[in-house]
């Protein structure tokens, strides 16, 4: 499995928009963003700084980044832009101009191909919301004069290559999983519903995205997004298709009412688990039988190898060999024994318009 730069860009942009980050500059190849306090807490690993902010009540200064989704193409265009003769910009042209997928100030984000490099602010100016005066920092406001230091904090825009497999992308996924594990969303009825006389009926659904891991010496994972109506008890196995064409919002819309639930959350969860269990029982488990056969073969090889060694006359050496033998059998059983593990990735209540 892999993701294209376009798919990585979409996932990162979705996260930045969901956490209300300030977009400074954007193109198909990159985005320069000033993190919101919420995103900064999750992505920058600055617990001492945020502890200081909470104790003093001072406004936080969040970091800014340039996330590059296609480093090779981005660096190629940056090099071409630096080699080209300077052209006169029309009066009033801003720093947010993006041409051929590269910002006009591409050099500000750095043209290195490394995972994390440093660069100055765009167009030589401080990022939005950051004072250019070094004495206007948090430390200066609380402790007086502070000697000028290299700009390694909020006044700097760092470049990071965000590609499939990169540490930063994994961190964004982890933050999204942590904050998006439990949801409560409502279908957006549109502007016409606000003007109608009668309120619209909304049906509550409990939906869970299960991850099924089938493992032995090989591994396979499946996602099952299943929903159950708390009103009628109807189970929809492909709940993502039901949500695909609907606009969802975390806020309760105007002029709607929620139908009373016939099932509790516990009863709904039990129905989903029972449905998934019955579905898994119908799968072909030839792979498990083959894994057990490989396990028997590997254990027989271990037994043959240690058979002569366990005849050691020295009691101390024999006990050490026996311990090693038992450990090796446990490791082999752990590696080859077929297992199925089911976990809930995300779950939530979805209030959808009754049909």
């Amino acid at each position: 499995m892999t993701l294209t730069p376009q798919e990585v860009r979409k996932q990162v942009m979705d996260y930045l928009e969901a956490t209300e980050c300030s977009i400074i500059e954007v193109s198909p190849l990159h985005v320069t963003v000033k993190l919101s306090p919420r995103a900064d807490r999750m992505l920058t690993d600055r617990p001492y700084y945020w502890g200081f902010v909470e104790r003093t009540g001072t406004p936080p200064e969040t970091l800014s980044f340039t996330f590059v989704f296609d480093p090779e193409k981005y660096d190629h265009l940056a090099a071409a832009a630096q080699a080209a003769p300077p052209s006169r910009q029309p009066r009033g042209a801003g720093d947010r101009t993006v041409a051929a997928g590269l910002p006009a100030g591409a050099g500000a984000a750095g043209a290195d191909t490394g995972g994390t490099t440093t660069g100055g602010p765009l167009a030589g100016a401080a990022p939005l919301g950051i004072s250019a005066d070094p004495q206007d920092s948090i430390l200066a406001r609380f402790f007086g004069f502070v000697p000028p230091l290299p700009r390694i904090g909020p006044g700097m825009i760092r470049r990071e290559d965000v590609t499939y497999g990169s540490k930063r992308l994994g961190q964004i996924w982890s933050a999204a999983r942590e904050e998006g594990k439990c949801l409560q969303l409502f279908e957006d009825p549109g502007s016409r519903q606000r003007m109608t006389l009668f309120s619209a009926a909304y049906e509550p659904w409990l939906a869970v995205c299960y991850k099924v891991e089938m493992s032995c010496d090989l591994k396979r994972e499946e996602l099952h997004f299943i929903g159950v109506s708390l009103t009628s008890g109807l189970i929809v196995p492909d709940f993502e298709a039901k949500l695909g064409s609907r606009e969802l919002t975390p806020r309760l819309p105007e002029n709607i009412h929620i139908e009373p639930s016939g099932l509790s959350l516990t009863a709904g969860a039990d129905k989903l688990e029972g449905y998934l269990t019955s579905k898994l029982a119908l799968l072909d488990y030839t792979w498990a039988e083959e894994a057990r056969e490989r396990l028997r073969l590997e254990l027989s090889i271990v037994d043959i190898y240690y058979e002569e060694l366990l005849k050691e006359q020295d009691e101390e050496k024999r006990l050490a060999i026996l311990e090693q033998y038992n450990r090796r059998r446990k490791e082999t059983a752990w590696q080859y024994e077929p297992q199925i593990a089911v976990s809930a990735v995300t779950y939530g209540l979805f209030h959808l318009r009754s049909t």
Side-chain angles (χ1 to χ4, degrees):
M1 177 182 174
T2 186
L3 295 178
T4 64
Q6 293 76 20
E7 292 171 330
V8 172
R9 180 183 185 277
K10 182 181 185 307
Q11 295 191 15
V12 173
M13 293 300 295
D14 288 345
Y15 177 79
L16 297 178
E17 292 173 6
T19 52
E20 300 178 342
C21 298
S22 300
I23 305 299
I24 300 174
E25 195 171 61
V26 65
S27 80
L29 302 180
H30 86 293
V31 60
T32 300
V33 61
K34 178 174 172 58
L35 299 179
S36 65
R38 177 181 171 190
D40 193 288
R41 287 174 182 268
M42 299 295 292
L43 300 181
T44 59
D45 192 21
R46 300 193 295 166
Y48 295 110
Y49 171 77
W50 283 106
F52 173 80
V53 169
E54 291 172 356
R55 290 193 302 271
T56 60
T58 187
E61 296 180 358
T62 60
L63 299 183
S64 300
F65 291 91
T66 292
F67 295 138
V68 179
F69 309 114
D70 194 338
E72 183 177 354
K73 188 177 294 185
Y74 181 89
D75 292 334
H76 176 73
L77 292 178
Q82 291 177 353
S87 58
R88 298 184 61 183
Q89 294 283 346
R91 174 171 291 185
D95 291 336
R96 291 171 61 94
T97 304
V98 178
L102 190 69
D112 298 329
T113 58
T116 303
T117 59
T118 61
L122 292 175
L128 298 178
I130 302 300
S131 172
D133 186 359
Q135 299 305 315
D136 195 27
S137 65
I138 289 180
L139 294 179
R141 291 200 297 269
F142 279 84
F143 300 105
F145 177 77
V146 178
L149 298 172
R151 299 305 296 267
I152 58 175
M156 179 194 69
I157 299 180
R158 300 171 57 188
R159 166 180 167 175
E160 290 198 5
D161 295 343
V162 182
T163 57
Y164 182 73
S166 64
K167 181 180 178 181
R168 180 63 72 186
L169 182 60
Q171 194 177 30
I172 291 175
W173 284 349
S174 298
R177 281 196 299 267
E178 183 67 24
E179 293 193 317
K181 185 176 294 184
C182 183
L183 307 171
Q184 179 167 237
L185 297 174
F186 300 85
E187 182 180 352
D188 189 353
S191 58
R192 293 183 59 185
Q193 179 60 35
R194 302 190 188 98
M195 309 302 294
T196 57
L197 180 61
F198 301 102
S199 65
Y202 272 43
E203 184 178 7
W205 291 79
L206 173 65
V208 181
C209 181
Y210 293 101
K211 181 172 72 171
V212 179
E213 297 179 83
M214 306 176 188
S215 60
C216 51
D217 53 327
L218 304 174
K219 188 175 182 179
R220 177 182 175 184
E221 295 181 348
E222 295 180 354
L223 292 178
H224 299 264
F225 196 14
I226 312 170
V228 58
S229 170
L230 298 181
T231 302
S232 62
L234 174 67
I235 294 180
V236 177
D238 53 343
F239 195 72
E240 68 276 10
K242 189 176 183 66
L243 298 177
S245 60
R246 302 172 189 257
E247 292 290 335
L248 302 175
T249 175
R251 298 179 178 84
L252 179 67
E254 301 176 14
N255 200 23
I256 69 130
H257 67 274
I258 307 298
E259 294 181 347
S261 300
L263 292 175
S264 65
L265 291 178
T266 303
D270 290 341
K271 285 182 68 70
L272 291 178
E273 291 179 6
Y275 175 83
L276 181 61
T277 301
S278 61
K279 184 175 182 179
L280 294 179
L282 300 177
L283 296 179
D284 182 10
Y285 289 98
T286 305
W287 63 272
E289 298 173 0
E290 295 173 350
R292 288 195 177 94
E293 185 61 35
R294 292 195 296 273
L295 174 60
R296 285 192 291 269
L297 176 61
E298 291 294 326
L299 290 178
S300 66
I301 294 175
V302 172
D303 293 341
I304 293 173
Y305 177 79
Y306 283 95
E307 183 177 2
E308 293 297 325
L309 296 177
L310 290 173
K311 296 178 181 179
E312 174 66 43
Q313 298 299 322
D314 190 331
E315 183 65 17
E316 185 177 350
K317 291 183 178 180
R318 192 185 68 81
L319 290 177
I321 294 172
L322 179 61
E323 181 181 356
Q324 186 182 51
Y325 167 66
N326 292 330
R327 185 170 61 249
R328 179 56 181 158
R329 282 184 63 90
K330 288 181 180 179
E331 292 173 353
T332 304
W334 174 84
Q335 180 179 0
Y336 286 89
E337 183 68 31
Q339 298 179 358
I340 298 179
V342 180
S343 59
V345 179
T346 58
Y347 51 90
L349 281 174
F350 295 85
H351 302 276
L352 308 179
R353 191 162 188 164
S354 300
T355 55

